[in-house]
Amino acid sequence: MTTRIVLCLTILASATGSALAQDDTKARDQAYSRCTTFSRDTEATYKACKDYLDNYPNDDNQRTETAAKFIRAYDRVTAYANAVQTYALSQPNKWFIYDADLKIDLPNVDEKQGNYSVKIQRSFKNASESAMLRKAEAVYGPQSRYLDSMRQSPVQWAEELPAEIAPLWGTTSNDNVIDCEVITASAVRYYYDLSISSREHRQFRNVFPMVSTGLKYNASIKHYDDWEHLTRKFHDVYVADLNLEWSSICGGLCGIGFTRNKLVVLDKHGEVLELFLDAAVNHQGWVAKLY
Protein backbone atom coordinates (compact mmCIF):
# COMPACT_ATOMS: atom_id res chain seq x y z
CA MET A 1 0.00 0.00 0.00
CA THR A 2 2.76 2.42 0.96
CA THR A 3 4.59 1.79 -2.32
CA ARG A 4 1.43 2.52 -4.28
CA ILE A 5 0.87 5.80 -2.41
CA VAL A 6 4.44 6.91 -3.04
CA LEU A 7 4.11 6.02 -6.73
CA CYS A 8 0.87 7.98 -7.03
CA LEU A 9 2.41 10.98 -5.31
CA THR A 10 5.40 10.81 -7.65
CA ILE A 11 3.16 10.68 -10.70
CA LEU A 12 1.09 13.58 -9.34
CA ALA A 13 4.19 15.64 -8.66
CA SER A 14 5.51 14.91 -12.12
CA ALA A 15 2.20 15.88 -13.72
CA THR A 16 2.03 19.03 -11.65
CA GLY A 17 5.60 19.95 -12.58
CA SER A 18 4.85 19.32 -16.24
CA ALA A 19 1.75 21.49 -16.07
CA LEU A 20 3.68 24.28 -14.35
CA ALA A 21 6.42 24.05 -16.98
CA GLN A 22 3.85 24.29 -19.74
CA ASP A 23 2.24 27.30 -18.05
CA ASP A 24 5.65 28.97 -17.70
CA THR A 25 6.47 28.28 -21.35
CA LYS A 26 3.12 29.72 -22.41
CA ALA A 27 3.65 32.82 -20.25
CA ARG A 28 7.16 33.26 -21.63
CA ASP A 29 5.95 32.98 -25.23
CA GLN A 30 3.16 35.44 -24.58
CA ALA A 31 5.61 37.87 -23.01
CA TYR A 32 7.88 37.62 -26.05
CA SER A 33 4.92 38.04 -28.39
CA ARG A 34 3.88 41.26 -26.65
CA CYS A 35 7.42 42.53 -27.18
CA THR A 36 7.59 41.68 -30.89
CA THR A 37 4.03 42.17 -32.10
CA PHE A 38 3.84 45.29 -34.27
CA SER A 39 2.16 48.15 -32.50
CA ARG A 40 2.04 51.90 -33.09
CA ASP A 41 2.27 52.25 -29.33
CA THR A 42 6.04 51.83 -29.18
CA GLU A 43 6.15 52.92 -25.56
CA ALA A 44 3.97 49.93 -24.64
CA THR A 45 6.18 47.68 -26.77
CA TYR A 46 9.25 49.05 -25.00
CA LYS A 47 7.74 48.23 -21.60
CA ALA A 48 6.74 44.76 -22.82
CA CYS A 49 10.31 44.05 -23.97
CA LYS A 50 11.70 45.25 -20.65
CA ASP A 51 9.28 42.99 -18.76
CA TYR A 52 10.15 40.06 -21.00
CA LEU A 53 13.89 40.42 -20.40
CA ASP A 54 13.41 41.01 -16.67
CA ASN A 55 11.38 37.81 -16.29
CA TYR A 56 13.09 35.59 -18.88
CA PRO A 57 16.72 36.72 -19.21
CA ASN A 58 17.86 33.16 -19.98
CA ASP A 59 15.43 32.54 -22.82
CA ASP A 60 16.61 31.68 -26.33
CA ASN A 61 19.51 33.98 -27.22
CA GLN A 62 18.03 35.05 -30.55
CA ARG A 63 14.81 36.12 -28.88
CA THR A 64 16.47 38.00 -26.03
CA GLU A 65 18.72 39.80 -28.52
CA THR A 66 15.67 40.85 -30.55
CA ALA A 67 14.11 42.35 -27.43
CA ALA A 68 17.36 44.00 -26.40
CA LYS A 69 17.80 45.48 -29.89
CA PHE A 70 14.40 47.14 -29.69
CA ILE A 71 15.18 48.54 -26.24
CA ARG A 72 18.51 49.97 -27.42
CA ALA A 73 16.87 51.47 -30.50
CA TYR A 74 14.01 52.97 -28.50
CA ASP A 75 16.41 54.52 -25.98
CA ARG A 76 18.59 56.02 -28.74
CA VAL A 77 15.70 57.37 -30.80
CA THR A 78 13.89 58.76 -27.77
CA ALA A 79 16.98 60.63 -26.59
CA TYR A 80 17.60 61.98 -30.09
CA ALA A 81 13.98 63.01 -30.65
CA ASN A 82 13.72 64.70 -27.26
CA ALA A 83 16.90 66.70 -27.88
CA VAL A 84 15.80 67.84 -31.34
CA GLN A 85 12.30 68.63 -30.10
CA THR A 86 13.66 70.70 -27.23
CA TYR A 87 15.81 72.70 -29.65
CA ALA A 88 13.04 73.17 -32.22
CA LEU A 89 10.43 74.17 -29.63
CA SER A 90 12.80 76.78 -28.22
CA GLN A 91 12.44 78.68 -31.51
CA PRO A 92 9.43 80.98 -32.00
CA ASN A 93 8.54 79.85 -35.54
CA LYS A 94 7.80 76.68 -37.49
CA TRP A 95 11.27 77.10 -38.97
CA PHE A 96 14.50 77.76 -37.10
CA ILE A 97 18.14 78.61 -37.65
CA TYR A 98 20.66 75.91 -36.76
CA ASP A 99 23.83 77.66 -35.61
CA ALA A 100 26.19 74.87 -36.69
CA ASP A 101 25.18 75.38 -40.33
CA LEU A 102 26.27 79.02 -40.17
CA LYS A 103 29.84 77.76 -39.86
CA ILE A 104 29.75 75.48 -42.91
CA ASP A 105 31.74 76.75 -45.88
CA LEU A 106 30.41 75.86 -49.33
CA PRO A 107 32.91 76.30 -52.17
CA ASN A 108 32.06 77.80 -55.55
CA VAL A 109 33.10 75.01 -57.93
CA ASP A 110 32.33 73.78 -61.42
CA GLU A 111 33.95 70.41 -62.00
CA LYS A 112 33.20 67.66 -64.51
CA GLN A 113 35.49 64.75 -63.86
CA GLY A 114 34.33 61.54 -65.48
CA ASN A 115 30.86 60.58 -64.31
CA TYR A 116 31.02 62.79 -61.21
CA SER A 117 30.01 66.40 -61.84
CA VAL A 118 29.81 69.11 -59.19
CA LYS A 119 28.61 72.67 -59.68
CA ILE A 120 28.06 74.99 -56.72
CA GLN A 121 27.32 78.63 -57.39
CA ARG A 122 26.43 81.10 -54.62
CA SER A 123 25.67 84.67 -55.68
CA PHE A 124 25.69 87.82 -53.52
CA LYS A 125 26.84 91.43 -53.96
CA ASN A 126 28.56 92.23 -50.70
CA ALA A 127 29.50 90.96 -47.23
CA SER A 128 26.06 91.81 -45.84
CA GLU A 129 24.29 89.74 -48.51
CA SER A 130 26.81 86.95 -48.03
CA ALA A 131 25.92 86.76 -44.34
CA MET A 132 22.21 86.75 -45.18
CA LEU A 133 22.65 83.95 -47.70
CA ARG A 134 24.60 81.92 -45.16
CA LYS A 135 21.78 82.45 -42.67
CA ALA A 136 19.20 81.36 -45.25
CA GLU A 137 21.18 78.16 -45.75
CA ALA A 138 21.00 77.52 -42.01
CA VAL A 139 17.19 77.68 -41.91
CA TYR A 140 15.58 74.30 -41.16
CA GLY A 141 11.97 73.30 -41.58
CA PRO A 142 9.59 71.72 -39.04
CA GLN A 143 10.91 68.58 -37.34
CA SER A 144 7.57 67.11 -36.26
CA ARG A 145 7.28 64.64 -39.15
CA TYR A 146 10.74 63.24 -38.46
CA LEU A 147 10.07 62.98 -34.73
CA ASP A 148 6.75 61.18 -35.25
CA SER A 149 8.39 58.74 -37.67
CA MET A 150 11.25 58.08 -35.23
CA ARG A 151 8.88 57.16 -32.44
CA GLN A 152 6.85 54.88 -34.72
CA SER A 153 9.86 53.04 -36.20
CA PRO A 154 12.68 53.19 -33.64
CA VAL A 155 14.67 50.20 -34.91
CA GLN A 156 14.83 51.57 -38.47
CA TRP A 157 15.68 55.10 -37.36
CA ALA A 158 18.28 54.06 -34.80
CA GLU A 159 20.43 52.68 -37.62
CA GLU A 160 20.11 55.84 -39.72
CA LEU A 161 20.59 58.64 -37.20
CA PRO A 162 23.90 60.53 -37.29
CA ALA A 163 26.30 60.06 -34.41
CA GLU A 164 25.90 63.64 -33.26
CA ILE A 165 22.45 64.98 -32.47
CA ALA A 166 21.35 67.57 -35.04
CA PRO A 167 18.08 68.59 -36.69
CA LEU A 168 17.16 66.69 -39.84
CA TRP A 169 16.84 67.93 -43.42
CA GLY A 170 15.93 64.64 -45.11
CA THR A 171 15.48 60.89 -44.77
CA THR A 172 17.44 57.90 -46.01
CA SER A 173 16.27 56.63 -49.39
CA ASN A 174 17.49 54.16 -51.99
CA ASP A 175 21.19 53.18 -51.89
CA ASN A 176 21.35 54.68 -48.36
CA VAL A 177 21.53 58.15 -49.90
CA ILE A 178 19.63 60.81 -47.97
CA ASP A 179 16.71 62.29 -49.89
CA CYS A 180 16.82 66.03 -49.22
CA GLU A 181 13.54 67.62 -48.16
CA VAL A 182 14.79 71.05 -47.04
CA ILE A 183 17.94 72.57 -48.53
CA THR A 184 20.48 73.47 -45.85
CA ALA A 185 24.22 74.02 -45.73
CA SER A 186 24.56 70.58 -44.15
CA ALA A 187 22.61 69.04 -47.01
CA VAL A 188 24.71 70.66 -49.73
CA ARG A 189 27.92 69.72 -47.93
CA TYR A 190 26.66 66.12 -47.64
CA TYR A 191 26.13 65.81 -51.39
CA TYR A 192 29.41 67.57 -52.13
CA ASP A 193 31.35 65.18 -49.87
CA LEU A 194 29.48 62.20 -51.34
CA SER A 195 30.37 63.39 -54.84
CA ILE A 196 34.08 63.73 -54.07
CA SER A 197 34.20 60.39 -52.23
CA SER A 198 32.47 58.64 -55.12
CA ARG A 199 34.86 60.24 -57.61
CA GLU A 200 37.82 59.02 -55.59
CA HIS A 201 36.20 55.61 -55.03
CA ARG A 202 36.19 56.02 -51.27
CA GLN A 203 33.47 54.77 -48.95
CA PHE A 204 31.15 57.53 -47.79
CA ARG A 205 29.28 56.68 -44.60
CA ASN A 206 27.02 53.71 -45.40
CA VAL A 207 26.16 54.81 -48.95
CA PHE A 208 26.47 52.25 -51.74
CA PRO A 209 29.41 52.76 -54.15
CA MET A 210 28.32 55.08 -56.97
CA VAL A 211 29.21 54.75 -60.66
CA SER A 212 28.00 58.30 -61.29
CA THR A 213 26.78 61.34 -59.36
CA GLY A 214 25.56 64.78 -60.33
CA LEU A 215 25.34 67.77 -57.99
CA LYS A 216 24.14 71.21 -58.99
CA TYR A 217 23.48 73.88 -56.38
CA ASN A 218 22.57 77.46 -57.20
CA ALA A 219 21.86 79.97 -54.43
CA SER A 220 21.30 83.69 -54.79
CA ILE A 221 20.02 86.59 -52.73
CA LYS A 222 18.35 89.71 -54.04
CA HIS A 223 16.77 92.84 -52.60
CA TYR A 224 13.18 93.76 -53.41
CA ASP A 225 11.35 96.95 -52.59
CA ASP A 226 8.14 94.92 -52.79
CA TRP A 227 7.84 91.13 -53.08
CA GLU A 228 4.78 88.88 -53.04
CA HIS A 229 4.44 85.12 -52.70
CA LEU A 230 1.38 82.97 -51.93
CA THR A 231 -0.70 86.10 -51.27
CA ARG A 232 1.92 87.24 -48.73
CA LYS A 233 3.26 90.74 -49.35
CA PHE A 234 6.64 91.98 -48.14
CA HIS A 235 8.29 95.40 -48.33
CA ASP A 236 11.99 96.23 -48.36
CA VAL A 237 13.19 92.64 -48.04
CA TYR A 238 15.90 90.28 -49.26
CA VAL A 239 14.90 86.96 -50.79
CA ALA A 240 17.27 83.99 -50.87
CA ASP A 241 16.44 81.53 -53.64
CA LEU A 242 18.10 78.13 -53.12
CA ASN A 243 17.97 75.37 -55.74
CA LEU A 244 19.50 71.91 -55.46
CA GLU A 245 19.65 69.14 -58.06
CA TRP A 246 21.01 65.69 -57.28
CA SER A 247 21.32 62.35 -59.05
CA SER A 248 23.28 59.23 -58.19
CA ILE A 249 23.49 55.81 -59.77
CA CYS A 250 25.09 52.76 -58.18
CA GLY A 251 24.66 50.54 -61.24
CA GLY A 252 21.92 48.98 -63.33
CA LEU A 253 18.55 50.30 -62.23
CA CYS A 254 19.86 51.45 -58.87
CA GLY A 255 19.67 55.18 -58.26
CA ILE A 256 17.97 58.28 -56.91
CA GLY A 257 17.39 61.82 -58.14
CA PHE A 258 15.48 64.99 -57.29
CA THR A 259 15.29 68.79 -57.51
CA ARG A 260 14.54 70.94 -54.45
CA ASN A 261 13.81 74.63 -53.86
CA LYS A 262 13.76 76.83 -50.77
CA LEU A 263 12.86 80.51 -50.48
CA VAL A 264 13.85 82.49 -47.41
CA VAL A 265 12.69 86.06 -46.81
CA LEU A 266 14.84 88.35 -44.65
CA ASP A 267 14.34 91.93 -43.58
CA LYS A 268 16.92 94.68 -44.24
CA HIS A 269 18.63 93.84 -40.95
CA GLY A 270 19.12 90.22 -41.96
CA GLU A 271 16.44 88.76 -39.70
CA VAL A 272 14.51 85.83 -41.17
CA LEU A 273 10.84 86.63 -41.75
CA GLU A 274 9.54 83.56 -43.57
CA LEU A 275 10.38 80.21 -45.15
CA PHE A 276 8.62 78.90 -48.27
CA LEU A 277 8.83 75.27 -49.41
CA ASP A 278 5.84 75.27 -51.75
CA ALA A 279 7.61 74.62 -55.08
CA ALA A 280 6.16 71.62 -56.93
CA VAL A 281 9.61 70.04 -57.32
CA ASN A 282 9.82 69.61 -53.54
CA HIS A 283 7.31 66.76 -53.82
CA GLN A 284 8.89 65.03 -56.79
CA GLY A 285 11.85 62.79 -57.47
CA TRP A 286 12.78 59.43 -58.87
CA VAL A 287 14.05 56.20 -57.38
CA ALA A 288 15.24 53.21 -59.40
CA LYS A 289 15.74 49.78 -57.87
CA LEU A 290 17.35 46.65 -59.25
CA TYR A 291 15.10 43.66 -58.56
Side-chain angles (χ1 to χ4, degrees):
M1 179 64 72
T2 300
T3 301
R4 293 179 60 187
I5 292 174
V6 171
L7 179 60
C8 289
L9 291 174
T10 300
I11 294 174
L12 179 60
S14 177
T16 301
S18 178
L20 291 173
Q22 290 178 358
D23 289 343
D24 186 63
T25 297
K26 182 178 180 180
R28 180 197 63 197
D29 292 344
Q30 289 176 339
Y32 179 71
S33 179
R34 286 191 293 271
C35 167
T36 55
T37 299
F38 175 77
S39 172
R40 295 183 68 85
D41 188 353
T42 51
E43 183 178 358
T45 301
Y46 176 77
K47 292 179 179 178
C49 288
K50 294 276 285 187
D51 290 342
Y52 163 72
L53 287 181
D54 287 343
N55 292 309
Y56 306 100
N58 298 317
D59 193 14
D60 176 77
N61 184 67
Q62 184 174 353
R63 303 212 308 184
T64 57
E65 177 54 29
T66 297
K69 181 179 180 180
F70 183 89
I71 290 172
R72 291 193 300 269
Y74 184 91
D75 286 339
R76 165 136 172 77
V77 164
T78 298
Y80 198 104
N82 288 343
V84 171
Q85 184 174 42
T86 298
Y87 186 89
L89 290 178
S90 68
Q91 313 301 314
N93 305 289
K94 63 182 180 181
W95 45 264
F96 59 93
I97 298 169
Y98 185 51
D99 294 340
D101 274 46
L102 293 171
K103 303 174 184 177
I104 295 177
D105 292 320
L106 298 174
N108 272 14
V109 295
D110 188 357
E111 302 173 347
K112 297 180 180 178
Q113 296 189 22
N115 295 325
Y116 308 95
S117 63
V118 176
K119 184 174 184 179
I120 298 178
Q121 183 175 1
R122 302 170 69 253
S123 304
F124 47 85
K125 293 181 178 180
N126 49 50
S128 177
E129 287 190 1
S130 174
M132 286 191 225
L133 183 57
R134 187 179 285 260
K135 181 177 286 189
E137 291 169 331
V139 174
Y140 279 67
Q143 298 289 294
S144 56
R145 189 183 73 79
Y146 301 122
L147 302 181
D148 290 343
S149 181
M150 281 185 208
R151 293 175 176 125
Q152 292 173 9
S153 307
V155 174
Q156 176 184 341
W157 273 93
E159 298 176 352
E160 299 175 356
L161 290 174
E164 296 184 3
I165 294 177
L168 303 176
W169 47 263
T171 56
T172 301
S173 182
N174 196 28
D175 319 328
N176 290 333
V177 175
I178 297 179
D179 184 345
C180 179
E181 296 176 0
V182 179
I183 301 172
T184 65
S186 286
V188 178
R189 188 73 208 191
Y190 169 88
Y191 296 112
Y192 175 76
D193 291 343
L194 173 52
S195 299
I196 302 304
S197 296
S198 297
R199 178 192 300 170
E200 297 176 354
H201 304 292
R202 292 185 287 106
Q203 181 64 41
F204 180 78
R205 302 187 185 181
N206 63 338
V207 174
F208 292 6
M210 296 296 164
V211 297
S212 70
T213 61
L215 168 62
K216 184 177 181 180
Y217 176 60
N218 182 278
S220 63
I221 188 162
K222 184 178 180 180
H223 177 265
Y224 292 87
D225 291 330
D226 294 287
W227 190 77
E228 182 177 347
H229 189 77
L230 295 180
T231 73
R232 294 284 304 281
K233 296 181 179 181
F234 301 88
H235 176 68
D236 191 15
V237 296
Y238 288 83
V239 178
D241 187 357
L242 314 182
N243 297 276
L244 171 67
E245 296 180 26
W246 171 260
S247 65
S248 55
I249 298 176
C250 61
L253 296 176
C254 176
I256 180 176
F258 55 78
T259 299
R260 297 290 180 259
N261 171 263
K262 181 173 84 170
L263 298 174
V264 180
V265 185
L266 306 95
D267 66 18
K268 61 183 179 181
H269 303 294
E271 297 301 318
V272 176
L273 299 176
E274 189 57 272
L275 164 68
F276 292 105
L277 300 170
D278 58 292
V281 292
N282 289 338
H283 307 287
Q284 301 169 0
W286 58 266
V287 173
K289 294 183 178 180
L290 181 61
Y291 293 95

